[in-house]
Amino acid sequence: MSNWNNYNSSLVRYSNLGFTIDLSLMDIQPSFIDEMGPKIEKAFSDMKALESGAIANPDEGRMVGHYWLRNADLAPSEELKAQITEPLKALKEFADKVHNGDIAPPSGGRFENLLIIGIGGSALGPQLVYDALGFDSKLKTFFFDNTDPAGIDKTLAKIGNGLNKTLALVVSKSGGTPETRNGMLEAQEYFEDQQLNFAHHAVAITGEGSKLFNYATENKWITTFPMEDWVGGRTSVMSTVGLVPAALQGIDIDTFLAGATEMDERTRSTELSNNAAMQLALAWYHAGNGKGEKDMVVLPYKDSLVLFSKYLQQLVMESLGKEHDLDGNVVNQGIAVYGNKGSTDQHAYVQQLRDGVHNFFTTFIEVRKGRNGESIEVEPGNTSADYLQGFLRGTRKALYESGRKSVTISIQEVTPHSLGMLIALFERAVSFYASLVNINAYHQPGVEAGKKAAATFLELLNQVRGALTGWDKTADDIAEATFNDPEEVYHALVHLAANGEAMHAEGDTPAEDTFKL
């Protein structure tokens, strides 16, 4: 079969959506599809059950409802449907009131800035949407997406004198996520230091009855929006988590949701040749032998999609990176995701991709339209957009000639509709792949283990603080007094010294270092 014929037979094209996915350079043979037949059939069945409200997260006994967010009629009960439609109506009304000044800062005028305080999916989704679509945002948007105090200070410095016109959006389902809580407390303290009442600037997105919900209610914040337990953080961008900030920024959220809805509809087809999400999941399976043996490099050839690979890191890796399958077997599944953007990657790591260790496959994201308006010729007959297309096609070809496989996903331009399509495509590919390899894509025990380990360290840190007296002590001295591991104690002591709580004198080895107040 010639490359041209292979391209024609390996292309899924949704003409009315301006979307194609080209799998011709993945070298997937018909025999592989035949072998996967039973798994494919089961994956279609699993997706249908999930969308119908079956318990798709058995470890936590939860339904998984992010597909209902863009089509509330799919929700299995009127109560669940209302949990989607009522907040959507409320957040639109809220955004309108902010825009027209009915909800305004106490100092007068209108809100001009938005500070989003969240972590993981509570920040990554809004960051992606703002970076891709917020070029003429009605509110300039800033993020606390970590518990790094220097990063918090840098963000506050950027807001500068605009703090009195800043709306703070605190996002946490449980209200107990440490990073988000810390960011909220840091923001609150800073507002108060500037003689501003934080409550008059604050909005919560959280679960009803959560710690954050109760705190916001007791302190009379502007309002709260709900987060439901059937929506995970990494799939929450089309819930209140992503839609409240997008509406405040003036982004067309109805079109954003419509793009996802249309991709969902097209990829519910059980006709394999016309289901882009299943084809993508099968490409992942084929590339990594169903065991994640190859990493996925995501290269969007558009500046506005530079955060897409970062967004996919959480969606794919947190969903698919699991130790056990649904039968309890140890499988250590997952697909590592990393990426940059084209054509920056041409001057970064394409050299290794072509000539180095062959441990990956590539996903190119092509945006066909270069810019709105006319383009100059940067050399006779060629524009900057021509060069961008040349680098995409050239890199893709050079990789394949070196035995490196790739998928190419193409959209016309970056709009709310096309971004909604892309997000939905990958969400559904993740669901299908999870079924193909028989794992639970909707829990995150590894994340919870990390949180517990962090809590343990904080307990140790406080013990070390209590044992650190005014005279010189080593890590062994304090470890013996507190019944802790000396290495862990040492790291706690170094942390205290670095942050001005102790004095540190180095010896020949860490064991000989001494610390005192």
Side-chain angles (χ1 to χ4, degrees):
M1 181 182 290
S2 70
N3 287 338
W4 174 238
N5 288 336
N6 187 32
Y7 172 76
N8 279 273
S9 64
S10 302
L11 188 75
V12 180
R13 180 163 59 178
Y14 300 154
S15 298
N16 64 318
L17 303 182
F19 168 90
T20 63
I21 180 169
D22 171 13
L23 298 125
S24 62
L25 300 190
M26 289 299 291
D27 292 342
I28 299 173
Q29 300 302 315
S31 58
F32 169 76
I33 300 299
D34 291 341
E35 292 169 5
M36 293 293 293
K39 291 181 182 291
I40 294 169
E41 185 176 346
K42 180 179 181 297
F44 280 134
S45 177
D46 287 347
M47 178 69 88
K48 184 176 181 179
L50 181 153
E51 289 193 302
S52 298
I55 299 298
N57 180 355
D59 292 53
E60 299 175 359
R62 291 179 179 175
M63 296 180 289
V64 174
H66 53 277
Y67 300 122
W68 311 334
L69 295 171
R70 49 257 197 176
N71 185 354
D73 290 335
L74 291 175
S77 71
E78 288 301 314
E79 180 184 4
L80 288 169
K81 181 177 179 179
Q83 290 174 7
I84 299 164
T85 57
E86 291 175 7
L88 181 60
K89 179 182 178 183
L91 71 88
K92 288 179 179 179
E93 292 173 351
F94 176 75
D96 286 342
K97 288 179 180 179
V98 170
H99 296 156
N100 63 30
D102 289 342
I103 296 175
S107 60
R110 300 184 183 184
F111 284 111
E112 297 175 1
N113 301 315
L114 180 63
L115 173 62
I116 298 175
I117 303 172
I119 192 76
S122 296
L124 278 168
Q127 282 175 322
L128 169 65
V129 172
Y130 180 65
D131 205 55
L133 304 173
F135 50 89
D136 59 352
S137 176
K138 292 185 177 182
L139 295 182
K140 189 174 182 181
T141 303
F142 305 85
F143 294 87
F144 284 179
D145 64 345
N146 198 0
T147 190
D148 174 11
I152 290 171
D153 291 346
K154 183 178 179 181
T155 299
L156 291 170
K158 288 180 180 178
I159 295 173
N161 294 331
L163 192 70
N164 66 327
K165 296 187 183 299
T166 298
L167 186 66
L169 192 60
V170 184
V171 189
S172 174
K173 185 186 294 185
S174 68
T177 306
E179 297 93 335
T180 305
R181 179 207 60 208
N182 295 356
M184 180 198 74
L185 294 174
E186 292 267 7
Q188 181 174 276
E189 179 71 15
Y190 192 77
F191 271 80
E192 303 295 344
D193 284 347
Q194 303 299 313
Q195 284 74 53
L196 298 171
N197 187 332
F198 184 67
H200 295 162
H201 295 255
V203 173
I205 299 178
T206 188
E208 188 170 352
S210 73
K211 294 178 182 177
L212 177 57
F213 178 89
N214 293 334
Y215 186 83
T217 302
E218 290 166 7
N219 288 276
K220 296 181 172 55
W221 286 16
I222 297 172
T223 192
T224 63
F225 292 98
M227 286 179 73
E228 307 300 342
D229 66 2
W230 40 264
V231 179
R234 56 191 174 276
T235 54
S236 65
V237 70
M238 294 182 191
S239 72
T240 52
V241 171
L243 298 183
V244 172
L248 287 167
Q249 292 154 0
I251 292 167
D252 185 348
I253 61 175
D254 289 330
T255 302
F256 180 55
L257 293 168
T261 300
E262 292 183 50
M263 181 58 72
D264 287 346
E265 290 172 353
R266 298 301 293 262
T267 55
R268 284 192 188 100
S269 171
T270 55
E271 183 183 340
L272 179 59
S273 62
N274 198 39
N275 190 315
M278 178 60 86
Q279 293 272 20
L280 186 57
L282 287 168
W284 296 350
Y285 193 106
H286 182 264
N289 294 319
K291 300 175 182 177
E293 293 175 0
K294 294 290 177 68
D295 301 340
M296 176 162 59
V297 181
V298 180
L299 299 179
Y301 274 64
K302 205 64 171 178
D303 285 0
S304 58
L305 292 178
V306 67
L307 293 183
F308 196 55
S309 59
K310 183 179 178 181
Y311 176 80
L312 290 180
Q313 279 180 337
Q314 185 186 26
L315 175 63
V316 175
M317 296 176 72
E318 194 167 271
S319 297
L320 303 181
K322 302 297 161 66
E323 181 180 7
H324 297 98
D325 67 12
L326 288 168
D327 299 320
N329 302 308
V330 175
V331 291
N332 297 116
Q333 276 288 354
I335 300 174
V337 179
Y338 61 95
N340 197 348
K341 67 176 181 179
S343 62
T344 301
D345 59 80
Q346 195 75 23
H347 300 273
Y349 51 65
V350 164
Q351 169 61 37
Q352 177 169 312
L353 295 185
R354 189 181 188 281
D355 294 346
V357 60
H358 186 188
N359 62 345
F360 70 95
F361 65 97
T362 303
T363 300
F364 291 97
I365 311 290
E366 175 190 19
V367 180
R368 297 188 183 97
K369 186 174 182 178
R371 64 153 51 105
N372 293 321
E374 298 295 321
S375 288
I376 65 167
E377 292 185 356
V378 293
E379 68 176 29
N382 294 120
T383 67
S384 295
D386 296 337
Y387 266 93
L388 192 62
Q389 176 69 188
F391 281 122
L392 187 157
R393 294 292 155 187
T395 301
R396 181 177 177 269
K397 183 178 181 181
L399 291 179
Y400 187 67
E401 288 175 345
S402 193
R404 275 63 169 161
K405 308 296 191 293
S406 67
V407 176
T408 300
I409 297 168
S410 303
I411 58 175
Q412 285 298 115
E413 56 186 313
V414 179
T415 64
H417 189 272
S418 64
L419 185 62
M421 285 195 306
L422 284 177
I423 291 171
L425 171 72
F426 279 90
E427 284 181 350
R428 296 182 76 82
V430 163
S431 291
F432 283 135
Y433 185 90
S435 178
L436 294 175
V437 299
N438 193 39
I439 60 167
N440 179 1
Y442 305 108
H443 68 159
Q444 47 281 333
V447 175
E448 300 307 318
K451 290 179 180 179
K452 291 177 182 177
T456 299
F457 176 79
L458 290 172
E459 291 177 9
L460 178 145
L461 185 63
N462 286 324
Q463 292 175 19
V464 171
R465 277 193 177 104
L468 186 61
T469 54
W471 58 86
D472 293 355
K473 288 191 174 183
T474 66
D476 284 307
D477 292 334
I478 293 179
E480 183 177 354
T482 60
F483 304 100
N484 284 303
D485 178 79
E487 183 181 345
E488 293 297 320
V489 167
Y490 178 79
H491 293 309
L493 288 166
V494 170
H495 170 77
L496 294 175
N499 288 278
E501 294 189 54
M503 296 177 64
H504 179 189
E506 289 191 2
D508 290 338
T509 67
E512 296 173 8
D513 288 7
T514 58
F515 300 83
K516 66 179 179 179
L517 292 175

